[in-house]
Amino acid sequence: MTRVAIPELDPTAIFDVTVEDGHFSGIRPVAERTADDTGTPELWPGYVETHAHLGLPANFDDSLEDPRIAALQYLYSGVTHVVDMFGFPLVQDVWERGREESALPYPELVHCGYAATAMTNAAGLTGHGVEFPAPVHMIATETDLEHAIRSNVERGGTFLKVMFTDGTEQPGSRVKFSRLSRRVLEFCARIAAERGVTAVIDCNTLQETRWAYECGFRLFAHTVRDRTLDAADWKEFEGARFVSTLAGLRPMIMTGDEFASEYGREGFAETQDVRNLEFVKGIEKPFGIEYGCQDTRTAALADMRRNALATLREGKLLIGTDSGNTGAYHGYSLLSELDLLRGDDDSLDAALRRQATVGGRRYFDELSGVGHATDPLGVGARATYNLHAPGRPLSALPLSTVVGGVPIDRPTVVRAIAGLRAAGTDRRVES
């Protein structure tokens, strides 16, 4: 491979890159890259989805697609690493069988096992997560958590996902779920640290985030959504990192025209269930209006984006979608997330691409428990990368995707997805 830019290594240089046995064997600067260069493709590591749910139904008919299809949907969009935050053991056997049988490489995957949440409270509310089809561990004692960690490790889980939110999104919005007590939150953080297990926590509000941070949590599955944090607020969260997840919330407030535009990019009809396109054509008003949460959800998304961009400036933003929630699709929505974060500010392009690739990969390695972050662009590293055309929208598909030195042919991916559907996999797992 000759004449590529690698902005992460040196934005002012053009490189020649060689690959042998699926690994980078040479990365050599050979020329200067000028400011007006618009034709040299950029090489970046593969995209990393830092917040997905393979065990939740993204389709509007509330059905769960075959996980082998989800793997190919990620591959098509240039996503080479996936963090599953909820219930991967539910689909593990099918995913692994698909990997063994596939002629195409699969994305690398790290998962938590099953998430931990609160018990039912005196008001009859269950902890967040119980409402979904994937199982969760309900935690009240240290023994409960010890069992959860042990059983998750047996299922291949390498990190702990703690659900800690009562479901409120803006001041005054209703409480939906029970919430772990301060005592339980403290021993969750302590026991995870004692066992050497990285812990990620699911919070909505500033107060929930404060409590979790005070108890020792530093990785947050979402950005704060009930207010835009100011400088004093940010001082409280030194060392914390947050996942963006705008794409998972936005479908609630979208109009029919917005759905048509969002799902009209290249890649949706090729990889996703087209029955979803037919469904959104019939949407007359946003679900937020129907369910009385349009204003609060709109405000929540605005707060989340502003808070995400504040962490982007500090290099502490992780790009993730919450895919698996209705209307947020595996692979496709990661590219949507980048556009939602960018808005009209093209000065954010390089930073967002960096956090979606290099930053995400470091996070993936951390959750994998490998003990150190690998350099995805070093000589000797596995040759897994995307080539991008400079100046195209962040939501555009990569020019090409290579996994372990194997170029991914998108038409082959499309045929493989169609073959799985034709074989009966689109009867799917009803949730």
Side-chain angles (χ1 to χ4, degrees), residues 233-313:
D233 295 325
W234 285 117
K235 287 182 180 179
E236 299 181 39
F237 301 119
E238 183 178 356
R241 285 167 285 161
F242 298 82
V243 185
S244 53
T245 65
L246 303 181
L249 270 73
R250 186 167 175 258
M252 178 63 70
I253 65 169
M254 290 166 65
T255 65
D257 288 343
E258 287 170 333
F259 275 117
S261 176
E262 169 60 22
Y263 300 155
R265 298 195 323 268
E266 182 184 6
F268 190 94
E270 290 84 354
T271 63
Q272 306 298 330
D273 189 332
V274 294
R275 285 174 287 192
N276 291 295
L277 293 175
E278 294 302 315
F279 179 87
V280 299
K281 288 178 182 178
I283 293 176
E284 297 180 355
K285 61 182 179 181
F287 294 109
I289 293 176
E290 182 178 349
Y291 296 115
C293 62
Q294 183 76 1
D295 291 343
T296 56
R297 176 58 61 88
T298 300
L301 279 165
D303 283 329
M304 288 177 73
R305 180 176 181 269
R306 287 190 287 265
N307 291 331
L309 294 181
T311 62
L312 176 68
R313 288 190 288 272

Side-chain angles (χ1 to χ4, degrees), residues 16-45:
D16 280 353
V17 177
T18 55
V19 174
E20 295 179 13
D21 298 323
H23 295 76
F24 291 119
S25 57
I27 301 175
R28 184 168 60 94
V30 294
E32 180 181 358
R33 189 185 191 194
T34 62
D36 59 356
D37 172 39
T38 59
T40 303
E42 294 184 351
L43 185 152
W44 290 86

Side-chain angles (χ1 to χ4, degrees), residues 37-349:
D37 172 39
T38 59
T40 303
E42 294 184 351
L43 185 152
W44 290 86
Y47 284 127
V48 181
E49 165 63 90
T50 63
H51 189 140
H53 300 289
L54 291 171
L56 298 186
N59 296 299
F60 282 96
D61 65 0
D62 204 27
S63 59
L64 181 65
E65 286 201 296
D66 188 303
R68 294 173 292 182
I69 291 177
L72 296 174
Q73 289 166 338
Y74 279 118
L75 198 62
Y76 186 95
S77 293
V79 179
T80 61
H81 294 73
V82 179
V83 176
D84 190 277
M85 287 279 189
F86 192 101
F88 177 72
L90 184 69
V91 297
Q92 187 165 14
D93 289 345
V94 179
W95 175 282
E96 295 302 339
R97 187 170 70 249
R99 182 197 295 274
E100 293 171 2
E101 296 173 351
S102 177
L104 293 160
Y106 258 37
E108 294 300 312
L109 184 82
V110 62
H111 71 93
C112 64
Y114 292 128
T117 193
M119 305 291 287
T120 304
N121 66 13
L125 297 176
T126 58
H128 183 31
V130 173
E131 75 275 23
F132 293 128
V136 292
H137 297 285
M138 300 178 76
I139 304 296
T141 68
E142 293 190 19
T143 301
D144 294 335
L145 184 63
E146 294 276 14
H147 169 75
I149 291 175
R150 184 172 59 253
S151 62
N152 282 342
V153 168
E154 290 172 354
R155 292 180 170 95
T158 59
F159 66 96
L160 175 67
K161 169 71 178 300
V162 178
M163 310 290 277
F164 177 62
T165 179
D166 65 10
T168 58
E169 290 189 334
Q170 289 281 289
S173 56
R174 73 179 180 89
V175 171
K176 300 177 184 177
F177 310 112
S178 63
R179 195 165 55 191
L180 296 170
S181 69
R182 176 68 176 248
R183 178 185 66 86
V184 175
L185 206 60
E186 287 174 343
F187 73 63
C188 282
R190 173 175 54 80
I191 292 175
E194 289 173 355
R195 301 295 177 272
V197 175
T198 302
V200 182
I201 193 162
D202 182 301
C203 300
N204 279 6
T205 67
L206 174 58
Q207 186 60 70
E208 289 171 347
T209 304
R210 278 194 179 122
W211 286 333
Y213 186 90
E214 289 168 1
C215 290
F217 291 91
R218 295 295 181 269
L219 296 175
F220 295 88
H222 305 280
T223 52
V224 172
R225 67 185 69 177
D226 68 329
R227 62 173 283 182
T228 299
L229 277 60
D230 59 25
D233 295 325
W234 285 117
K235 287 182 180 179
E236 299 181 39
F237 301 119
E238 183 178 356
R241 285 167 285 161
F242 298 82
V243 185
S244 53
T245 65
L246 303 181
L249 270 73
R250 186 167 175 258
M252 178 63 70
I253 65 169
M254 290 166 65
T255 65
D257 288 343
E258 287 170 333
F259 275 117
S261 176
E262 169 60 22
Y263 300 155
R265 298 195 323 268
E266 182 184 6
F268 190 94
E270 290 84 354
T271 63
Q272 306 298 330
D273 189 332
V274 294
R275 285 174 287 192
N276 291 295
L277 293 175
E278 294 302 315
F279 179 87
V280 299
K281 288 178 182 178
I283 293 176
E284 297 180 355
K285 61 182 179 181
F287 294 109
I289 293 176
E290 182 178 349
Y291 296 115
C293 62
Q294 183 76 1
D295 291 343
T296 56
R297 176 58 61 88
T298 300
L301 279 165
D303 283 329
M304 288 177 73
R305 180 176 181 269
R306 287 190 287 265
N307 291 331
L309 294 181
T311 62
L312 176 68
R313 288 190 288 272
E314 300 299 320
K316 296 175 181 177
L317 178 66
L318 299 161
I319 311 295
T321 66
D322 221 356
S323 284
N325 280 288
T326 303
Y329 297 96
H330 298 297
Y332 187 87
S333 289
L334 193 280
L335 303 182
S336 301
E337 186 78 18
L338 291 169
D339 259 8
L340 290 172
L341 288 163
R342 178 192 186 274
D344 296 326
D345 188 351
D346 60 5
S347 71
L348 299 175
D349 285 6

